[in-house]
Amino acid sequence: MQLAAELQRTHHRHQRQRQQQDTTPMCRQIQLTISDHTVAGDAVADDGEDLFIPPLNFAMVDNGIFRSGFPEPANFSFLQTLGLRSIIYLCPEPYPEANMEFLKSNGIKLFQFGIEGHKEPFVNIPEDTIREALEVVLDVRNHPVIIHCKRGKHRTGCLVGCYRKLQKWCLSSVFDEYQRFAAAKARVSDQRLD
């Protein structure tokens, strides 16, 4: 209960900061290409134009907050259109060199929270790790930010679910959103929002 109250206060403080901050428009007109395969290297159309291919499971969570699966080089042009300041990476594996170069060349800060992916049920994600990741999400100085893990399903879904709880979403809506991204692989243990 104390954790929820602490996070709620942090959420309200960051909401006030967001309202006071002079923000750039979040909507830009871009060309999207939906693809069911990964393209090696940069994505370029036949006519030499950049293709804007979003990462797997990409979606907007809130103003300045996005979610997705692991970004591949083919997604970099799309990610540039978001004007990202930060990336929250929820896996323990090292970030690939190509992705690190993309971050460096675009002035994007990486926050890594090494949450292990578990196949077995009833394995809890460490509460302190989720709290730290939520603090990064709530801090508008990190926006625009994208949250991702490998597929943008379980670990990302847990963090977004906790964010939704702070927004006072009803639990059935939080679970519906989680299941939309997790599909047939929804995990009961991930849906526990104690």
Side-chain angles (χ1 to χ4, degrees), residues 70 85-91 93-96 99-100 103-104 107-113 136 146 148:
F70 200 94
R85 285 190 191 160
S86 309
I87 288 181
I88 297 175
Y89 175 47
L90 299 174
C91 301
E93 296 82 17
Y95 219 52
N99 293 57
M100 289 302 291
L103 299 184
K104 189 183 298 182
I108 300 170
K109 186 171 184 179
L110 176 67
F111 293 92
Q112 183 170 0
F113 298 94
V136 173
I146 191 166
H148 79 82

Side-chain angles (χ1 to χ4, degrees), residues 18-181:
R18 181 186 300 165
Q19 290 167 353
Q20 293 170 355
Q21 189 179 39
D22 191 19
T23 59
T24 58
M26 291 305 304
C27 295
R28 296 184 193 119
Q29 189 173 15
I30 59 174
Q31 172 190 352
L32 291 179
T33 301
I34 306 300
S35 173
D36 62 354
H37 63 281
T38 302
V39 180
D42 292 333
V44 179
D46 292 339
D47 60 3
E49 290 287 320
D50 281 347
L51 295 179
F52 299 105
I53 303 170
L56 177 71
N57 274 329
F58 176 82
M60 184 177 201
V61 175
D62 201 353
N63 286 333
I65 304 172
F66 304 94
R67 65 177 291 162
S68 75
F70 200 94
E72 300 290 335
N75 309 129
F76 291 170
S77 293
F78 174 82
L79 293 177
Q80 283 178 313
T81 68
L82 301 177
L84 295 174
R85 285 190 191 160
S86 309
I87 288 181
I88 297 175
Y89 175 47
L90 299 174
C91 301
E93 296 82 17
Y95 219 52
E97 188 59 37
N99 293 57
M100 289 302 291
E101 285 301 318
F102 172 76
L103 299 184
K104 189 183 298 182
S105 66
N106 288 279
I108 300 170
K109 186 171 184 179
L110 176 67
F111 293 92
Q112 183 170 0
F113 298 94
I115 299 170
E116 293 288 340
H118 294 283
K119 299 279 185 208
E120 61 276 358
F122 310 113
V123 175
N124 293 325
I125 291 177
E127 187 177 303
D128 58 331
T129 304
I130 287 291
R131 182 185 306 116
E132 290 172 23
L134 270 174
E135 288 174 0
V136 173
V137 171
L138 293 171
D139 189 343
V140 295
R141 294 172 297 182
N142 297 320
H143 294 185
V145 61
I146 191 166
I147 304 162
H148 79 82
C149 53
K150 290 230 190 286
R151 300 275 177 230
K153 294 180 178 183
H154 306 296
R155 290 169 275 202
T156 298
C158 289
L159 182 57
V160 171
C162 291
Y163 178 75
R164 297 301 192 200
K165 194 170 177 186
L166 289 176
Q167 291 180 307
K168 302 211 180 288
W169 278 30
C170 68
L171 286 180
S172 63
S173 294
V174 172
F175 294 153
D176 285 347
E177 181 181 45
Y178 172 86
Q179 289 171 341
R180 241 186 351 266
F181 288 93

